[in-house]
Amino acid sequence: MAAEIVNPRSDSESRNGRTEQGKGAEPLDSFDPAFALHRGGKMAVQATVPIRDKDDLSLAYTPGVAKVCSAIAEQPDLVHDYTWKSQVVAVVTDGTAVLGLGDIGPEASLPVMEGKAILFKQFGGVDAVPIALDCTDVDEIVETVVRLAPSFGGVNLEDISAPRCFEIEKRLQERLDIPVFHDDQHGTAVVSLAALRNAARLSGRTLGELRAVISGAGAAGVAIAKMLIEAGIGDVAVADRKGVVSRDREDLTPIKAELASFTNKAGLSGSLESALAGADVFIGVSGGTVPEPAVASMAEGAFVFAMANPDPEVHPEIAHKYAAVVATGRSDFPNQINNVLAFPGIFAGALQVRASRITEGMKLAAAEALAAVVGDDLAADYVIPSPFDERVAPAVTAAVAAAARAEGVARR
């Protein structure tokens, strides 16, 4: 079976709002093309083998299927060869941190999860199944996913609020022998690092020469900080609503206390704005607005990655006054930091070698491969490739697969 990237309804039904809806209010489709596109959902299930006659039926189902089931029962690893397990990912959410909408619940999260699934297929050739859970307790989520795991080759956690997302990912990876990846954390970090590598290359500097400030100590901010440290950044400080996360603060959660232990070598304290003075890099994953004077106080030739959607922390018009490279999370500006550049290829590479987990080395390899796609075309408005660049997914897939083998987590 495969997750097909088509609406199961006909074009005339699903895209022009003419389906039967009974009497009453005019359908939402008539007013907004987004509703027309989503009518009936964005996915369907499609067979990969034909059922044309009784012979096909006897092979695809009983009695032929019994031979395959018995073989798998005797040799469990055969499940990867004779089912879809090694080609399919569960996209799991509890609906508590959906896009910029917040805690909207599992049903309302489904359009986003369907969208994620078709991006897996479109950009990585990976089948994915949306699973929206009607629970928010960490123990319940972990136990539910563990019980679902035999059907899948990997688990992509999506739109689960911090700090629960950290514990859920950690516990699932400990319990399962398949890759577990929280895209809001690691996908964002991989693409951010790739863009920063190229921005540094454009300016003739190394990562080790840069001091970065991250606005936001949630899932993305923590993951970006960790990955920048792994990649050799000179220094990075992270700020939350109360200011810079530092060892001298007494109000830190366990996650933020850990963050303070390996970031902010300069010992900064106080506000985000004060930390930006002389900084080389601003990375925004929090929303809100950074005052223009704070941006102006950054070092000459600074980089501004303002990734909040739909309103960047620093509007590009302001950022371009002071920064050498500007990136956002939006598709209508150059240098879009978009997770779709990472997660399809990362999972494709991990599934290709039947990796037991996704390691830091695999993520760093993904960032390096993604940055390398830009090549000699590097420019201030092109430090990261487009999601529609057909070189992206193959490059990331190959790099991740090679890194998995090098790190000893590949099983083929």
Side-chain angles (χ1 to χ4, degrees), residues 271-294:
S271 66
L272 167 72
E273 290 81 3
S274 65
L276 281 175
D280 303 291
V281 184
F282 168 75
I283 298 176
V285 284
S286 66
T289 301
V290 177
E292 183 172 347

Side-chain angles (χ1 to χ4, degrees), residues 33 57 63 69 77 82 116 138 143 145 185 197 206 229 233 249 260 272 274 289 295 360 411:
L57 182 60
C69 292
D77 282 350
Y82 294 104
K116 196 78 172 189
V138 169
E143 292 302 323
V145 175
Q185 292 183 61
R197 281 191 181 281
T206 66
I229 294 292
I233 192 84
R249 279 180 47 180
L272 167 72
S274 65
T289 301
V295 182
E360 291 302 314
R411 289 177 287 195

Side-chain angles (χ1 to χ4, degrees), residues 90 147 374:
R147 283 161 173 73
V374 170

Side-chain angles (χ1 to χ4, degrees), residues 2 38 57 67 80 84 90 108 131 153 267-268 279 316 338 410:
H38 282 78
L57 182 60
K67 296 179 182 179
H80 298 285
W84 79 340
I131 298 177
L268 301 175
N338 191 330

Side-chain angles (χ1 to χ4, degrees), residues 54-202:
K54 65 182 182 61
D55 292 333
D56 288 343
L57 182 60
S58 68
L59 287 173
Y61 200 52
T62 186
V65 73
K67 296 179 182 179
V68 181
C69 292
S70 297
I72 294 171
E74 293 177 7
Q75 301 180 58
D77 282 350
L78 291 178
V79 69
H80 298 285
D81 297 311
Y82 294 104
T83 73
W84 79 340
K85 180 179 175 73
S86 283
Q87 305 169 62
V88 66
V89 169
V91 180
V92 178
T93 189
D94 63 357
T96 55
V98 181
L99 298 178
L101 304 173
D103 185 354
I104 60 175
E107 288 88 353
S109 77
L110 272 175
V112 177
M113 300 310 115
E114 288 183 4
K116 196 78 172 189
I118 65 175
L119 294 179
F120 264 108
K121 187 67 172 180
Q122 178 73 31
F123 294 104
V126 174
D127 291 312
V129 177
I131 298 177
L133 302 179
D134 189 15
C135 60
T136 58
D137 178 77
V138 169
D139 291 336
E140 290 183 0
I141 291 173
V142 170
E143 292 302 323
T144 300
V145 175
V146 167
R147 283 161 173 73
L148 290 170
S151 295
F152 301 99
V155 175
N156 184 90
L157 300 174
E158 189 74 20
D159 292 350
I160 298 174
S161 63
R164 295 175 309 117
C165 60
F166 301 110
E167 183 178 359
I168 290 169
E169 183 189 43
K170 179 176 181 292
R171 288 172 56 181
L172 284 174
Q173 191 63 83
E174 290 170 350
R175 298 270 306 268
L176 301 176
D177 66 347
I178 58 175
V180 178
F181 185 85
H182 184 210
D183 187 50
D184 298 322
Q185 292 183 61
H186 311 300
T188 307
V190 166
V191 183
S192 299
L193 174 58
L196 186 56
R197 281 191 181 281
N198 277 339
R201 179 163 70 94
L202 182 67

